[in-house]
Amino acid sequence: MAEGREATDAVAERPVELAYRPTVDDLAAAIRTRAKSTRAGLYRRRLLIYTLVVTAVGVLLSTLGDGHRDTPWHLYLALAFVAFMTAVPRLQARQLHRLSERQGDFRAVVDETGIRLTTAHSSATLDWHLYPRYAETPELFVLLSADKSAVGVVVLPKRGLSNPEDAGRLRAILDQHLVRADAAAAPSRGRAVGRGAGVVGLLLLGLVLFFFAYAAVQKAADPDALPGLQHNNAPVSAVALILGLPAVAGAWWAVRRMKVMRIVTAVLAAAVLLVGGAALYRIGPMLHCWGSDRITRGPDGDYACYDF
């Protein structure tokens, strides 16, 4: 067993060479990976979620019972914010790419002493203590600096390896000298409880939005109880359904790697989606009146649209 371990260590310690030129996609993926491993990235994701929730509630409250069918400006603001936050990694990557492009092709040599980077115009040796963490994606190895924000990032694309088997050797070297970012950030008991509470909150949010979508068109769907023209709340209900889907999807995404919670969340999410399906079944026949102010249901079950 000792001889086998020594042989493995010897294979891992042989230098691994990479030759590559960073692309915008490489840098954008590295920035997103860094965001998943730092507190700053966590705070940005929470800010995005809170903004969406507050905006969704504001939109629903502002349109409830109102005959005006214009899309509230809050929704446009939320969509613009989401689009901007989603585009930030790409924008940052383009800026970094302009700098790296001037360096030309990169050559990296990784061994037990660290990483030696060489370009057409520069060379540098990076000791392991400068980048104590790393994360792996399907296309990259991303090394993160020791500071909390991980300002320093080293990107090692797997396509730069001369032999696909070198990916395992490179991983072995990194595992021997560095700590995986996902392992360093493994959820403690408190974090697991917090994640569970977040999942429950997202599922409840989705359930509330689906129930709201179902109830908002109650009068129009039951003309016998209250005959005559009714406010057309179908667009509001449709918006509630659309906003409820990301809440349920977010709950699933949060527990996708946690076996027990994944099963429980799947059962609860299925129940919540059944409510959403019932709401969609009720709202669907009304959607052709999207731009109308009033709506009424005829004896044959079809809906007529009226504008005043």
Side-chain angles (χ1 to χ4, degrees):
M1 293 181 62
E3 293 179 356
R5 187 180 302 110
E6 291 176 358
T8 302
D9 292 342
V11 171
E13 292 298 345
R14 290 210 311 268
V16 176
E17 297 186 5
L18 302 93
Y20 59 93
R21 175 171 291 198
T23 66
V24 175
D25 290 337
D26 292 338
L27 299 174
I31 292 173
R32 287 192 291 267
T33 301
R34 178 181 64 180
K36 295 177 182 179
S37 306
T38 60
R39 289 185 178 180
L42 176 62
Y43 291 151
R44 283 194 294 269
R45 292 196 297 273
R46 288 179 177 176
L47 175 62
L48 180 60
I49 293 173
Y50 292 156
T51 301
L52 287 174
V53 171
V54 172
T55 304
V57 173
V59 169
L60 294 177
L61 291 178
S62 65
T63 56
L64 182 61
D66 188 2
H68 194 58
R69 291 297 140 227
D70 290 340
T71 304
W73 66 269
H74 308 80
L75 183 57
Y76 291 121
L77 181 62
L79 293 176
F81 179 77
V82 172
F84 173 76
M85 293 297 292
T86 304
V88 164
R90 192 76 180 182
L91 296 175
Q92 293 176 333
R94 288 186 178 277
Q95 292 179 338
L96 294 174
H97 184 256
R98 283 196 288 268
L99 296 175
S100 66
E101 191 69 13
R102 299 175 184 175
Q103 300 292 329
D105 294 332
F106 282 66
R107 182 175 180 272
V109 178
V110 184
D111 58 21
E112 70 279 1
T113 62
I115 303 173
R116 294 186 296 279
L117 288 175
T118 305
T119 70
H121 306 287
S122 64
S123 62
T125 300
L126 309 176
D127 294 336
W128 291 121
H129 73 276
L130 296 176
Y131 295 88
R133 300 173 294 161
Y134 87 96
E136 183 178 357
T137 74
E139 295 82 20
L140 307 170
F141 289 99
V142 182
L143 278 63
L144 306 172
S145 59
D147 55 287
K148 293 182 179 179
S149 299
V151 175
V153 175
V154 175
V155 182
L156 300 176
K158 295 180 182 179
R159 68 175 184 279
L161 297 167
S162 59
N163 189 335
E165 296 179 356
D166 288 343
R169 293 176 49 223
L170 178 54
R171 187 182 302 109
I173 294 176
L174 297 179
D175 284 336
Q176 186 170 357
H177 297 280
L178 307 180
V179 176
R180 282 182 175 265
D182 52 356
S188 61
R189 184 180 181 86
R191 288 186 178 181
V193 172
R195 178 172 294 187
V199 168
V200 172
L202 287 171
L203 290 176
L204 286 177
L205 175 62
L207 185 63
V208 169
L209 289 170
F210 290 158
F211 267 125
F212 177 89
Y214 188 89
V217 293
Q218 175 67 31
K219 294 180 181 179
D222 188 12
D224 295 334
L226 189 62
L229 295 177
Q230 305 294 334
H231 283 294
N232 181 18
N233 289 327
V236 179
S237 295
V239 172
L241 281 177
I242 294 173
L243 293 174
L245 288 175
V248 177
W252 171 258
W253 182 87
V255 297
R256 68 194 187 283
R257 297 178 180 176
M258 305 173 68
K259 183 176 181 180
V260 176
M261 290 189 64
R262 185 173 65 222
I263 296 173
V264 175
T265 301
V267 174
L268 295 177
V272 173
L273 290 175
L274 284 177
V275 178
L280 180 62
Y281 179 80
R282 169 174 281 191
I283 296 166
M286 308 178 189
L287 291 179
H288 70 282
C289 295
W290 184 278
S292 300
D293 183 66
R294 295 288 193 275
I295 191 173
T296 186
R297 185 177 185 181
D300 56 356
D302 294 332
Y303 289 90
C305 316
Y306 297 90
D307 293 309
F308 295 95

